[in-house]
Amino acid sequence: MEAKTLSVPQLAHLPADSADGVFQAGCPSRTVLDHITSKWGVLILVALSEGEHRWSELRRRAEGISEKMLAQTLKTLERDGLVLRKAQPVIPPHVDYSLTDRGYELTALLIPLVTWAYDNADDILDGQR
């Protein structure tokens, strides 16, 4: 299969004050990047960009995620200040999840990445065969 020739857009560069730091082993940004770019982290964040969701809605939306992984991912994203957990004082328990302002800022950057992955997945996987 012949590779497509693409025009390369002007690439953005890292700001000078972070250009070297992000490549350092101890840089805190590596931990944050690990949380937000995990398969489930990205999908949960993008799902929440559509609006508030309950646990069961997120589980259905991110097809294939286990209960344990959903719980772990939500806790991590909540701890990172990207997701807000709102428990309703009712029986049975009712918990809603939504994005914080920082979470919305992040998903504005993630949605083009997810869109790109979706649009190019077939060509990339065909090229691997």
Side-chain angles (χ1 to χ4, degrees):
M1 177 178 192
E2 190 176 320
K4 292 180 185 177
T5 304
L6 302 173
S7 62
V8 179
Q10 180 62 36
L11 297 177
H13 296 281
L14 290 170
D17 61 339
S18 64
D20 291 332
V22 297
F23 295 104
Q24 300 298 315
C27 183
S29 67
R30 286 192 177 193
T31 300
V32 175
L33 284 169
D34 184 47
H35 295 171
I36 62 179
T37 60
S38 69
K39 171 174 65 173
W40 300 118
V42 169
L43 293 176
I44 295 304
L45 289 165
V46 171
L48 289 172
S49 73
E50 300 166 344
E52 190 172 83
H53 282 64
R54 293 182 69 182
W55 169 277
S56 57
E57 294 169 334
L58 286 171
R59 183 112 192 270
R60 279 192 302 274
R61 193 78 174 108
E63 210 172 284
I65 192 169
S66 68
E67 287 186 17
K68 180 181 177 182
M69 187 54 67
L70 179 56
Q72 182 180 339
T73 302
L74 285 167
K75 281 181 187 174
T76 298
L77 296 174
E78 182 184 4
R79 191 175 53 242
D80 290 346
L82 302 169
V83 169
L84 181 63
R85 180 184 187 274
K86 185 170 54 175
Q88 305 295 334
V90 294
I91 297 175
H94 178 127
V95 179
D96 294 309
Y97 295 91
S98 60
L99 292 177
T100 63
D101 289 344
R102 181 173 284 154
Y104 277 110
E105 180 182 359
L106 174 60
T107 57
L109 302 169
L110 288 176
I111 289 171
L113 173 65
V114 171
T115 302
W116 183 92
Y118 181 82
D119 290 346
N120 289 279
D122 289 338
D123 287 343
I124 290 169
L125 295 177
D126 285 347
Q128 292 177 4
R129 292 185 184 105

